[in-house]
Amino acid sequence: MAHFPAERPAILIVEDEFLIRTHAAAVIRNTGFEVIEASDADEAIVILEGRMDIRVVFTDIHMPGTMDGLKLAHAVRDRWPPVHIIATSGQYAFQEGDLPTGAVFFPKPYSPGKVADTLVALTKSD
């Protein structure tokens, strides 16, 4: 079921696995959001530095590059405090306190409907 926000908030998807990233992008786009894609945290930081309209970073935890998704989540919270964070992983044993306060964690495989509902709820709260 698609939810269409009055505006099209921008969601940054950070995922190194191409098929997972494109599937998540399609689900999120079909929910009514603008989608920006990054294949790693370094690319995500460059995008965040250049765009002021990103409302949510949806990131995998295990990624190659200079930082993983946990470090990216903390960098986003430090540099862009209003940006919401959703992290996901199929291999990570998430523990309370690993992510910044207010961040949401979804184990893989996650429900596209739950992700869509969470994005709608997070962007409505702004």
Side-chain angles (χ1 to χ4, degrees), residues 34-88:
E34 178 184 355
V35 174
I36 302 100
E37 298 178 42
S39 60
D40 60 31
D42 299 317
E43 185 180 359
I45 294 292
V46 170
I47 292 167
L48 284 160
E49 288 173 342
R51 293 189 63 144
M52 304 307 291
D53 63 334
I54 294 173
R55 306 267 297 281
V56 179
V57 171
F58 181 73
T59 185
D60 187 23
I61 289 178
H62 290 286
M63 292 183 295
T66 61
M67 66 175 85
D68 64 11
L70 289 177
K71 289 180 184 174
L72 174 62
H74 287 281
V76 168
R77 177 61 72 238
D78 290 344
R79 293 182 64 185
W80 299 278
V83 175
H84 299 285
I85 301 161
I86 299 175
T88 185

Side-chain angles (χ1 to χ4, degrees), residues 17 20 25 27 35 39 63 77-78 83 85 104 108 110-111 120 123:
E17 296 288 338
I20 295 171
V27 167
V35 174
S39 60
M63 292 183 295
R77 177 61 72 238
D78 290 344
V83 175
I85 301 161
V104 176
K108 288 180 182 176
Y110 48 78
S111 159
V120 169
T123 57

